[in-house]
Amino acid sequence: MSIDPETLQLKILEPSQTKMALARVQNRSGGTDTGSMGLQYDPRLLEEKRRVDEKQPPTPRITSVDKSGQRVADVIAKLLNEGDKPEGLHIVRCIGNRIVTGTAVAKEIEDIRPNVESIKAARGTKLDLFHSIPATQCDPESLERGAPGFPGLDGSGVLIGIVDIGCDFRHRNFRHPTGATRIRYLWDQSVDSAPPLKDYGYGREFTADDINKALSAGDDVAYQKLGDPPYVPAAGAHGTHVMDVAAGNGREPARFGGKDGPVPAQPSHPGVAPNAQIVFVHLKTFEGGELGNSRHLLEAVDYIFQKADELQMPAVVNVSLSTSGGPHDGKTLVEQGFAALVAKADRTIVTSAGNTYQKQDHLSFTVTPGNDRTIHWRTDPRHTDPETTKNEMEIWYSGKREIEVTLYTPSGKNLGSVPLGATADLWDGKQRVGRISHRYHDPNNDDNQIDIRLPHVDDAWEIKLAAKPLPAAAEDPKKEKDKKRSESEEEDSGIEIHAWIEQDDHGLSQFEGKTDPFYTLSAISCSKATLTVGAFDTSDSACFARPFEATSAGPTRLVPLAQKKQPTRRDKPDLSAPGVRIVAARAQGGVTVLSGTSMAAAHVTGLVALVFQLVLRSGKGPLPFSTIRQVLTAGVAPLVPDPFHPDLQVQLGAGRIDGQICMQEVLKLKPAPEYVQKAAQESDQKTAPEPPGSAFLEVHPTTDGASYPPNQDEYRDAIEFLKSNFWFSSGNGSGDPKSFTECLQKQCTEGKTLRILATPLT
């Protein structure tokens, strides 16, 4: 379907059309007075509501029809209070205290919003596609040199979780010498069983017994014997390759493409942790092979850690998936969910950085009053149907400022402006074909968001951004009262703008002109709660750590544009691993070659399993995630300056992984006191005795040098400091690791001194 852009009209929605007049939004950032803007809605959820109203088809991967015939959207939400059950929101899982996953009736989205702190539509995910183990010193000989006295490090006693698609349980790299499976559980989210999986309400679960029963029938029929319909991984499936890099044992011959060659096949190479136990979650997939969304992802990670608790094993979860749109500051709801899950010791989540360095799908610049900037956006020609278009872009900027966005056709015709707090639909005279939502103060970071969804046209759309002047300075008794507005205007450094295109693996949408390859990390890989992994090439001398050409670059949006190249401001990715031409297991037999940060993340996942094993054997644990990250980022081979790649750190982080150095870093840790180890073993008990050597930490109200009330970065830094320096034993009130974060936030809000029972780890 072709669209003539000259016939389009941009129509601002009245508040009555979106119920935006229901409530007054508190201005928490000291910016423009926007009290009349009312509640602000996630643009993606608002889009689903509009699709119901306009009788348009739902967005694939986000919305479906439930058993009662109602259209429901997959969501992640943050409750106002722990235990709340807002009407219209069906909660599937509670992650931590207030992050929940579930579904929301699409036509009731606007009724749910006032009863939660934040609610977001789940985002679609996509895959992030020389023998690399010796190149990273993760072979048995190197590991033993790093940890003398602890031979045979192979991941034993540790659980590796894989969230991906395509688990070849028949492949011999995931079976014991007896032929029995190494896979403890396989949750297939894509096919519902009767009854559905307990606690999650969808999918089907296979246990090791189920898999062994299928295998006992023989390799020729094993696939057909597992489930009804049978669970058959697609040939060459991504998840099998990733799982093998992390945990394969090398038992199947290396037949490329699963076929015999003119000479006998050589043995395949084992993965990093070849004796770890495995839990695999086959992520929900939709018609056309599209992957599930961030709700399914968060529930998959939660499921794996639940199984680890049942098995009483430390666990590391590999997430070689990514999304593009989002604030890229570590504050998405799925990342908050990740943080809640790794708050418990001996848990780690590893994410791939993404493969978008060269995609031209990120822009950054500064816009100042009187100096407008224009974005030229060429949409994906594969998406020509306006009812199902995937041409979507997000713009994020500070909630302390205000800009106006104006849409122009490729010929320069002005279709109208959308002010802060408004939503506008794009019409072709017959139907709604696009939308612009200009959202005020996202509740998770207080920033403003512009979400743009447009139909495909033959040339580039033009989006003009105009900055409003700084608001008058608020009165401050600590400052001179005679400061004039003109002085603040003279100091106006402008508004930093970041724009990302949200698209699938094969997306052809891009920005015209000069783009910014920095800040291109996956939007779910920007949090301190995950290990984010870039990819390098081992085809040359590994010491040069040449970046994989597509590996996405940091930093996160927390780093200002002017400082993005400063080594001292590097925050993500955390480290890097091999990701170019990696030979590993092929689903349906043999081996295959893949490249990408997916493979790099899998190397780190296996290495974390080795760290957990050494921690268990040396009595160093349990370890909080902050210590795991410290060990991994310290246990790297430093980057060698490369004149051809001057920005190595923004793609490769602290350096390339080195198993030998990592083991040395583990042994440098002081042994955990016996009472700490005992407390970890008895963590399911409601109470525990006060450990010797403990004391009450006093956390005082905010003083000069920090904001009041503290901003989210200050909360996070304080919490990370406490977790990395103190052990919070269970059952001691405010020291409980499940609640001390909330206690700290309450203390900061109320301005009272908080006493937390804790024990120094050093």
Side-chain angles (χ1 to χ4, degrees):
M1 176 181 177
S2 61
I3 288 181
D4 180 2
E6 304 303 315
T7 64
L8 299 177
Q9 291 181 300
L10 192 64
K11 298 180 180 180
I12 300 288
L13 300 182
E14 297 297 326
S16 60
Q17 292 178 272
T18 60
K19 297 188 179 180
M20 284 188 177
L22 281 174
R24 183 180 179 87
V25 176
Q26 181 184 4
N27 187 341
R28 290 170 288 178
S29 297
T32 307
D33 181 9
T34 52
S36 62
M37 291 182 184
L39 281 177
Q40 300 286 288
Y41 296 84
D42 175 33
R44 287 167 167 254
L45 282 181
L46 190 58
E47 172 69 15
E48 297 312 305
K49 170 65 166 57
R50 296 288 290 153
R51 284 175 174 267
V52 172
D53 295 342
E54 300 296 331
K55 296 181 171 57
Q56 292 179 311
T59 301
R61 301 198 286 175
I62 303 300
T63 307
S64 58
V65 177
D66 67 9
K67 294 179 181 178
S68 66
Q70 293 192 102
R71 196 182 289 185
V72 296
D74 289 316
V75 298
I76 302 176
K78 189 173 187 178
L79 303 176
L80 291 171
N81 302 290
E82 184 178 358
D84 284 355
K85 296 181 179 180
E87 187 175 350
L89 175 62
H90 172 63
I91 296 175
V92 173
R93 293 293 293 174
C94 184
I95 312 294
N97 294 325
R98 293 195 291 142
I99 301 296
V100 297
T101 62
T103 59
V105 178
K107 66 181 181 181
E108 298 176 6
I109 293 298
E110 293 166 333
D111 297 319
I112 299 170
R113 176 64 186 91
N115 300 313
V116 295
E117 181 173 324
S118 178
I119 183 169
K120 304 280 190 179
R123 291 179 177 270
T125 58
K126 55 180 181 285
L127 302 172
D128 284 332
L129 295 172
F130 178 73
H131 183 28
S132 57
I133 305 302
T136 55
Q137 307 295 312
C138 289
D139 56 286
E141 294 78 12
S142 298
L143 294 173
E144 189 167 354
R145 285 196 295 270
F150 297 94
L153 293 173
D154 57 5
S156 296
V158 180
L159 189 70
I160 286 181
I162 305 291
V163 182
D164 215 296
I165 56 170
C167 173
D168 189 356
F169 64 91
R170 191 187 70 178
H171 202 287
R172 295 194 174 274
N173 285 6
F174 314 115
R175 295 163 69 175
H176 294 291
T178 61
T181 186
R182 296 171 51 214
I183 300 169
R184 297 297 296 264
Y185 294 94
L186 166 57
W187 177 21
D188 177 12
Q189 292 185 342
S190 291
V191 178
D192 289 339
S193 62
L197 181 62
K198 183 183 177 182
D199 296 334
Y200 297 91
Y202 64 100
R204 55 181 176 172
E205 180 184 68
F206 300 115
T207 66
D209 287 343
D210 296 327
I211 297 172
N212 283 330
K213 185 177 180 180
L215 291 173
S216 66
D219 287 2
D220 292 344
V221 296
Y223 295 146
Q224 284 68 38
K225 294 294 183 179
L226 187 65
D228 184 18
Y231 179 83
V232 182
H238 184 270
T240 295
H241 194 276
V242 167
M243 181 165 57
D244 191 41
V245 173
N249 60 19
R251 293 190 65 247
E252 181 152 323
R255 297 178 298 119
F256 279 84
K259 300 177 181 179
D260 291 321
V263 296
Q266 297 295 313
S268 58
H269 296 290
V272 182
N275 206 35
Q277 299 194 47
I278 303 167
V279 172
F280 192 104
V281 179
H282 183 112
L283 196 66
K284 191 175 184 69
T285 51
F286 296 89
E287 187 176 349
E290 290 190 294
L291 286 184
N293 55 50
S294 53
R295 172 209 157 183
H296 305 126
L297 167 61
L298 187 54
E299 289 172 354
V301 178
D302 173 63
Y303 169 86
I304 292 169
F305 285 136
Q306 292 294 326
K307 293 302 182 185
D309 286 349
E310 292 175 13
L311 298 169
Q312 297 184 339
M313 301 173 72
V316 52
V317 178
N318 186 92
V319 179
S320 288
L321 306 162
S322 66
T323 62
S324 299
H328 290 75
D329 59 5
K331 298 171 185 175
T332 64
L333 289 180
V334 70
E335 289 171 305
Q336 291 185 50
F338 286 165
L341 289 172
V342 299
K344 185 173 182 178
D346 288 346
R347 291 180 172 186
T348 297
I349 299 171
V350 178
T351 61
S352 53
N355 303 319
T356 61
Y357 187 76
Q358 298 176 319
K359 273 203 165 186
Q360 295 184 271
D361 61 0
H362 170 250
L363 278 179
S364 66
F365 51 81
T366 299
V367 59
T368 56
N371 294 292
D372 303 343
R373 296 291 298 267
T374 299
I375 295 173
H376 298 270
W377 178 26
R378 190 173 289 276
T379 52
D380 192 329
R382 299 174 304 155
H383 304 308
T384 57
D385 185 347
E387 290 195 345
T388 60
T389 182
K390 297 178 183 176
N391 289 307
E392 186 173 7
M393 171 176 58
E394 289 189 26
I395 299 171
W396 289 82
Y397 68 98
S398 170
K400 297 180 180 180
R401 300 298 301 270
E402 181 178 354
I403 66 174
E404 185 174 72
V405 55
T406 305
L407 179 64
Y408 291 84
T409 66
S411 67
K413 179 182 177 180
N414 187 334
L415 295 180
S417 300
V418 183
L420 180 61
T423 293
D425 284 341
L426 188 65
W427 289 79
D428 68 354
K430 297 180 181 179
Q431 63 177 335
R432 191 173 65 97
V433 297
R435 184 209 68 230
I436 300 178
S437 293
H438 195 168
R439 189 165 180 253
Y440 166 76
H441 275 198
D442 182 278
N444 298 293
N445 61 8
D446 288 336
D447 285 341
N448 298 335
Q449 173 194 11
I450 305 171
D451 187 87
I452 304 174
R453 185 180 297 217
L454 297 177
H456 173 68
V457 293
D458 292 335
D459 225 325
W461 289 100
E462 296 181 9
I463 299 99
K464 187 177 77 171
L465 304 178
K468 297 292 184 70
L470 275 168
E475 289 190 7
D476 186 341
K478 294 182 180 180
K479 297 181 179 179
E480 297 179 10
K481 292 186 177 180
D482 62 348
K483 282 221 170 191
K484 298 180 180 179
R485 177 185 175 120
S486 60
E487 295 178 15
S488 64
E489 289 178 342
E490 290 176 2
E491 299 171 359
D492 189 348
S493 59
I495 307 171
E496 287 193 2
I497 301 294
H498 287 273
W500 289 274
I501 297 170
E502 180 68 86
Q503 56 187 334
D504 60 26
D505 299 321
H506 308 291
L508 301 175
S509 179
Q510 63 182 31
F511 295 119
E512 290 192 339
K514 184 179 179 181
T515 56
D516 184 2
F518 290 76
Y519 303 94
T520 52
L521 296 170
S522 165
I524 59 172
S525 299
C526 298
S527 165
K528 285 188 175 181
T530 64
L531 280 172
T532 304
V533 187
F536 66 84
D537 189 350
T538 58
S539 59
D540 293 329
S541 177
C543 65
F544 290 111
R546 184 169 54 128
F548 170 48
E549 59 186 12
T551 189
S552 297
T556 70
R557 202 167 59 88
L558 297 175
V559 177
L561 286 173
Q563 301 174 17
K564 68 182 182 181
K565 293 188 177 183
Q566 293 182 12
T568 56
R569 293 308 307 270
R570 177 193 59 77
D571 57 355
K572 287 282 182 175
D574 295 288
L575 69 172
S576 56
V580 180
R581 295 185 290 279
I582 303 300
V583 178
R586 172 186 177 273
Q588 297 196 15
V591 296
T592 190
V593 181
L594 291 176
S595 297
T597 55
S598 288
M599 288 70 244
H603 281 85
V604 173
T605 296
L607 182 54
V608 172
L610 299 179
V611 167
F612 276 140
Q613 183 187 10
L614 181 57
V615 165
L616 288 171
R617 291 176 62 180
S618 61
K620 304 288 186 179
L623 296 183
F625 171 70
S626 56
T627 303
I628 292 291
R629 187 172 66 178
Q630 174 188 331
V631 167
L632 267 290
T633 54
V636 297
L639 299 174
V640 177
D642 183 349
F644 297 101
H645 299 93
D647 303 318
L648 282 177
Q649 283 194 319
V650 294
Q651 288 184 283
L652 302 182
R656 74 180 193 280
I657 62 169
D658 188 303
Q660 182 173 324
I661 301 176
C662 245
M663 299 305 108
Q664 294 169 352
E665 291 295 323
V666 171
L667 296 182
K668 290 178 183 178
L669 298 174
K670 292 186 177 180
E674 290 185 9
Y675 55 80
V676 171
Q677 298 185 48
K678 183 178 180 181
Q681 295 168 359
E682 300 173 350
S683 59
D684 57 334
Q685 298 180 3
K686 292 184 178 180
T687 59
E690 181 177 325
S694 61
F696 280 99
L697 293 175
E698 286 196 353
V699 184
H700 295 278
T702 308
T703 57
D704 292 342
S707 58
Y708 184 80
N711 61 42
Q712 294 189 28
D713 290 340
E714 290 165 341
Y715 278 139
R716 183 186 61 195
D717 291 343
I719 291 166
E720 284 291 324
F721 171 80
L722 290 172
K723 285 183 180 179
S724 61
N725 288 276
F726 297 94
W727 168 258
F728 296 87
S729 59
S730 60
N732 65 68
S734 60
D736 188 331
K738 294 183 178 179
S739 63
F740 87 91
T741 297
E742 284 73 17
C743 290
L744 178 64
Q745 292 177 334
K746 183 178 180 182
Q747 175 271 331
C748 292
T749 302
E750 297 180 354
K752 299 177 181 179
T753 297
L754 177 67
R755 302 179 78 228
I756 304 177
L757 184 64
T759 306
L761 287 174
T762 57

